[in-house]
Amino acid sequence: MINETLFHGSKRAGLLTLNAAASQNTVFGPAIYCTADRSVAAAQSGANVIYKVRIEGPEEGIIEFDRPLLDASPRARAAIQTFLRRYKLMSILDTEDDRVDFLQERAAAELVRRGVEYPPKTLFNRIIAEEGVWLMRGEMHGLAKSGMVDRGIQWVVIDDRYLSILEQQPLYFERAG
């Protein structure tokens, strides 16, 4: 069981819940992006407030996106294969590098090439969530890293039922005199 306290930078203050589906379609698709480092959360684009959050859920519902698919839990492998079969993308598994972040990128690129207009990473996240995956995490590959904003580390909550807000904090704390 995963049970972690993390931080999320948000543009909106006063929220009672965070909604993965309403979030922007960014690096790993629509999700709630969290980090253990508060300063990384504060560096998120447009962040005006920090939410201290708790994520809690089963380990088998996690995809480690910087590891090979063969290392994934049976549930995670099955979820990814469901997506690949549904969109006739099983051939992208025929590669030397089968880390999940690269598989997701290749799948998205192929769907765009085919003319799929719906955001491909949104499709990926929805299907794997339907199959019981609630979290992707790990260190992003070098090309996806963007410095202070993520330092390469992400917790990507795609099913917000496993996340709760503990408290809202100001973006920056005032220094005591």
Side-chain angles (χ1 to χ4, degrees):
M1 181 67 96
I2 297 295
N3 187 344
E4 292 283 334
T5 300
L6 301 168
F7 298 96
H8 169 74
S10 177
K11 294 177 183 178
R12 298 196 48 197
L15 298 175
L16 300 176
T17 61
L18 296 172
N19 183 337
S23 66
Q24 293 180 351
N25 188 14
T26 56
V27 174
F28 294 104
I32 301 163
Y33 290 78
C34 301
T35 176
D37 186 333
R38 190 181 187 289
S39 64
V40 171
Q44 293 297 311
S45 178
N48 295 315
V49 66
I50 301 292
Y51 288 99
K52 187 175 182 180
V53 299
R54 161 93 38 218
I55 62 167
E56 189 171 3
E59 291 245 10
E60 62 270 8
I62 297 173
I63 290 176
E64 303 284 353
F65 52 67
D66 57 348
R67 297 210 179 116
L69 185 58
L70 290 174
D71 292 350
S73 72
R75 179 179 295 171
R77 278 195 312 271
I80 291 168
Q81 289 173 349
T82 295
F83 169 78
L84 296 176
R85 275 194 304 277
R86 191 173 295 177
Y87 290 96
K88 297 176 178 45
L89 296 167
M90 291 299 285
S91 65
I92 69 170
L93 289 175
D94 300 332
T95 179
E96 291 180 26
D97 192 348
D98 72 340
R99 288 180 293 177
V100 176
D101 56 350
F102 283 113
L103 290 176
Q104 187 194 40
E105 283 296 320
R106 283 194 303 271
E110 176 58 21
L111 289 174
V112 167
R113 188 190 71 72
R114 291 181 189 173
V116 173
E117 292 185 23
Y118 200 79
K121 291 180 182 178
T122 300
L123 295 174
F124 181 83
N125 288 3
R126 285 187 179 165
I127 290 169
I128 65 174
E130 288 171 7
E131 298 293 318
V133 173
W134 64 278
L135 173 73
M136 295 186 286
R137 69 175 179 190
E139 183 169 346
M140 295 160 30
H141 59 83
L143 296 177
K145 291 180 185 180
S146 57
M148 182 61 186
V149 174
D150 55 44
R151 291 198 197 123
I153 306 296
Q154 290 287 352
W155 293 69
V156 182
V157 180
I158 60 172
D159 187 338
D160 48 56
R161 294 177 296 170
Y162 297 93
L163 181 142
S164 58
I165 295 174
L166 299 176
E167 68 182 24
Q168 178 181 306
Q169 301 177 347
L171 191 60
Y172 300 106
F173 292 112
E174 300 276 329
R175 289 193 170 197

